[in-house]
Amino acid sequence: MTKVITYGTFDLLHYGHQNLLRRAKALGDYLIVGVTSENYDRYRGKLNVQQTLMERVENVRALGLADEIVVEEYEGQKIDDITRRSVDIFAIGSDWVGRFDYLNEYCKVVYLERTKGISSTELRDRRHPLIRLGVVGSGRIANRFIPESKFVSGVTVEGVFNPHLDSAHSFAQRHELAFYSDDYADFLSRVNAVYIASPHETHYDYARQALRAGKHVLCEKPMVFTAAEAEELFALAREKHVILMEAIKTAYCPGFQRLVSCAKSGKIGQIVAVDAAFTKLVPPHMRAIQNRETGGSVTELVTYPLLAAFKLLGYDYEEIRFYSYFGQKGGVDLFSQLHLQYPGAVATAKVGLGVKSEGSLVISGTRGYIYVPAPWWKTEYFELRFENPNEVEKNFYKFSGDGLRYELTEFLSRISKGQMDGCACRLSLGLAEVIEKYRSSDVVKLG
Ligand code: CTP
């Protein structure tokens, strides 16, 4: 008996898939079809799959061509499947020519001509109209965003807005964008969603204008400086039936999401303390240090440590205290430590622009603790540790590129669902509340 194996995501199963499976089956007597798991797709950077693993498996099964279906869950599984199942032929579409030659060592490799004019990507794009996105601002983070957007389907970055036309022009040239503008109303009229990556103090106004114009908004953190502003923008988004989301990449990356589920599963017992730090030394001439009104460690960096505290302990803290080191009189906080006291738990958030510390996250529980090494906000790895040092559980995840693709994927998914995520809104409100408190309450000055 000749055994043939082939693999794919088989999202929104189409006649290209059917053709491939039919010809793969004809190569032998028994066809094994590997369908990628959701985790594995995310791991390899395929973030836009529409159907669940079960739906995709069912669709492949319903074709009646597969004698056996396996789930592909990890890098290197093809070799394991081929050897364990004594497979004779590995078949795959011609879009992969050369990529699987290494399997020749284990079986015969056959590349089958890909069916022209159809793909899952095209079907996904047809299902949801392409989002034409404009970028507000042309600084460091905006420059990172464009290459990341290429990994996400269903969106095209069309243009850039900057009140300084020269900056907008060079940004548009660098990233080969269709247009650039220094006129915000004109810019908004040419897109249906915006990504706001301008200086913090401009976020609120740009977001409000965009929402009023009926555009979806993905806004860099901190989105706003007060709870009232956050509430107003979310109310406006609801009224206009558009999506407003704060761009907090860590919240949407697979590793961090798993970490939260794991911590809350009871494995380390009851969570009693969350200690997160994020420090980044920046030169004194940078806006984060120069801008006395809206710069400083808390406004710049506190989002990530607070994300950990809020996701793990919630928003009902009873008291919050701020300790800051300013370096010089009238300057911004170069380092701050926040203490959030909850009923039965405590969280600390440590941030610094002029003080360096270990960028780890530790979640302490009554049975054990979770240690996430720096940079924990790009969660790729975490350990569950217990009293017995031999009892360590190690977890590995992939954090691809700069990670902005995760938040953008979530943003597009929200747009296609036509619904904002209540948890994400609560998070933004919680962050704005803390920044507002910091800017208006007593801070314990260090030194
Ligand atoms: N395939 C094919 N002809 C097509 C599309 C896919 O022969 N028009 C083959 C692929 O080469 C692969 C298998 O079908 O061997 C599964 O491909 P998959 O990646 O799931 O489908 P695509 O339509 O290529 O998906 P995407 O657009 O997400 O890349």
Side-chain angles (χ1 to χ4, degrees), residues 58 136 247 297 326 358 433:
E58 274 317 308
V136 180
S297 312
F326 289 89
E358 169 72 13
E433 278 164 356

Side-chain angles (χ1 to χ4, degrees), residues 9-10 14 17 20 46 93 95 114-115 118-121 124:
T9 304
F10 302 105
H14 52 69
H17 295 141
L20 181 111
K46 195 159 183 166
D95 44 327
R114 188 180 160 90
T115 306
I118 182 78
S119 71
S120 302
T121 304
R124 284 191 289 264

